[in-house]
């Protein structure tokens, strides 16, 4: 029996851009749940609504209708301090293009979320060292972004997303700016954190290799959920799940180009 608790519920979510004849319905009544400790992947063609969905959950966008409920709280009702706390403490966001501040070192970029919420320096340093070991970025803690490789930058960005110990980590195409070696390294580290720290991760990706690290994948087409894949964690390897992802994409959408 599955004893995992639901951490996130998305209920009948819609998002419409524009008005009248010029309106575009990016999300069309999407609904699903995310379990605590799950590594959930979201896949779909460009323009399918997957990033819009992620940005609604991150409160970067306000949905037209529907509800997003995190640990029993409807985030659409958050304002002021409650909204700031949600963005700074309850979710972490990992961007495709790193979004590190060039004039800050890796350590300073990582601790920025903590300094904004008054976390003591000793506790901040303890969290830095723990994440630096997990993400293999200890050698670059005192370097600026210009002195790091792309893979190092993204792992520093991942540490920044994780450092406040959020309930939910949102990742938007985290391997999109990386080569295959650095993509694999990042996904292996995120998978390790998911398993060992029971951290809930929700990742938008077009990359079947990255998606193969997930425990479940939702496929979105034209603003609607149209298929779900679950990985058998006990018996199915990454390579086997990857093959199943590619096969399903080909059968449902006519080829992997439909998720690029």
């Amino acid at each position: 029996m599955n004893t995992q608790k639901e951490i996130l519920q998305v209920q009948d979510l819609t998002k419409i851009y524009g008005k009248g004849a010029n309106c575009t319905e990016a999300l069309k009544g999407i609904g699903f749940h995310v379990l605590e400790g799950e590594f959930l992947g979201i896949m779909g063609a460009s323009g399918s609504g997957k990033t819009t969905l992620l940005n609604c959950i991150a409160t970067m966008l306000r949905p037209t209708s529907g509800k997003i409920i995190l640990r029993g709280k409807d985030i659409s009702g958050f304002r002021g301090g409650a909204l700031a706390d949600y963005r700074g403490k309850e979710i972490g966001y990992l961007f495709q293009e790193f979004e590190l501040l060039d004039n800050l070192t890796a350590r300073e970029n990582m601790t920025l979320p903590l300094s904004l919420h008054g976390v003591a320096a000793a506790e901040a340093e303890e969290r830095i060292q723990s994440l630096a070991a997990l993400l293999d970025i200890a050698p670059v803690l005192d370097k600026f972004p210009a002195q790091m490789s792309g893979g190092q930058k993204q792992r520093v960005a991942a540490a920044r997303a994780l450092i406040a110990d959020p309930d939910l980590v949102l990742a938007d195409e985290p391997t999109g700016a990386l080569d295959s070696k650095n993509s694999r390294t990042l996904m292996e580290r995120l998978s390790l954190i998911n398993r060992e720290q029971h951290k809930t991760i929700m990742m938008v990706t077009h990359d079947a290799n990255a998606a193969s690290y997930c425990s479940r994948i939702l496929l979105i087409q034209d603003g609607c959920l149209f298929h779900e894949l679950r990985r058998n964690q006990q018996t199915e390897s990454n390579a086997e799940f990857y093959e199943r992802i590619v096969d399903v994409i080909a059968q449902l959408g006519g080829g992997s180009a439909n998720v690029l």
Side-chain angles (χ1 to χ4, degrees), residues 105-254:
T105 64
R107 176 183 271 104
E108 291 165 341
N109 268 286
M110 289 167 62
T111 54
L112 188 58
L114 299 183
S115 63
L116 294 174
H117 292 279
V119 176
E123 182 180 348
E125 185 60 26
E126 184 177 337
R127 295 188 194 184
I128 288 169
Q129 294 302 327
S130 174
L131 285 169
L134 278 169
L135 290 161
D136 192 24
I137 51 173
V140 301
L141 284 177
D142 295 312
K143 292 184 178 181
F144 293 95
Q147 299 170 303
M148 303 177 207
S149 70
Q152 289 168 334
K153 289 178 188 178
Q154 191 60 305
R155 295 199 300 278
V156 169
R160 181 185 58 191
L162 289 158
I163 200 161
D165 192 25
D167 288 330
L168 177 66
V169 176
L170 304 173
D172 186 10
E173 302 278 10
T175 63
L178 304 179
D179 60 28
S180 58
K181 179 181 178 181
N182 281 306
S183 295
R184 184 171 61 253
T185 298
L186 176 68
M187 294 311 304
E188 286 172 351
R189 301 291 172 166
L190 289 178
S191 181
L192 178 69
I193 289 167
N194 168 252
R195 293 193 311 272
E196 294 195 351
Q197 297 190 354
H198 207 56
K199 186 62 63 183
T200 309
I201 303 173
M202 182 175 171
M203 176 181 70
V204 162
T205 184
H206 70 272
D207 182 357
N209 279 300
S212 71
Y213 288 86
C214 297
S215 54
R216 180 166 62 112
I217 297 170
L218 300 177
L219 291 101
I220 296 180
Q221 186 175 54
D222 299 328
C224 301
L225 293 180
F226 78 104
H227 197 70
E228 177 181 297
L229 279 171
R230 292 178 181 268
R231 177 181 173 187
N232 189 320
Q233 301 278 60
Q234 308 301 321
T235 63
E236 194 169 26
S237 68
N238 280 37
E240 290 167 335
F241 193 37
Y242 167 82
E243 292 296 337
R244 196 151 61 91
I245 293 166
V246 172
D247 286 347
V248 168
I249 289 169
Q251 291 169 18
L252 294 175

Side-chain angles (χ1 to χ4, degrees), residues 12-18 24-25 27 56 61-66:
D12 199 23
L13 204 69
T14 69
K15 177 61 181 177
I16 299 172
Y17 295 102
T24 300
E25 196 173 8
L27 298 177
C56 285
L61 291 174
R62 186 176 296 279
T64 303
S65 65

Side-chain angles (χ1 to χ4, degrees), residues 3-19:
T3 59
Q4 288 175 290
K5 297 178 180 178
E6 287 186 2
I7 187 173
L8 181 75
Q9 296 176 35
V10 175
Q11 301 177 353
D12 199 23
L13 204 69
T14 69
K15 177 61 181 177
I16 299 172
Y17 295 102
K19 295 181 179 180

Side-chain angles (χ1 to χ4, degrees), residues 36-106:
E36 192 171 44
E38 189 171 21
F39 196 157
L40 178 68
I42 307 290
M43 301 186 78
S46 178
S48 63
K50 58 188 186 297
T51 296
T52 294
L53 171 63
L54 202 71
N55 287 339
C56 285
I57 295 170
T59 68
M60 294 181 189
L61 291 174
R62 186 176 296 279
T64 303
S65 65
K67 292 183 178 181
I68 301 167
I69 299 171
L70 182 73
R71 293 203 184 279
K73 297 178 181 178
D74 185 354
I75 69 171
S76 63
F78 290 171
R79 300 288 186 277
L83 184 59
D85 281 346
Y86 172 77
R87 290 172 173 170
K89 297 178 181 178
E90 296 186 55
I91 61 167
Y93 201 104
L94 180 55
F95 298 89
Q96 178 177 340
E97 296 291 344
F98 324 133
E99 303 298 339
L100 299 177
L101 297 178
D102 292 335
N103 60 336
L104 298 181
T105 64

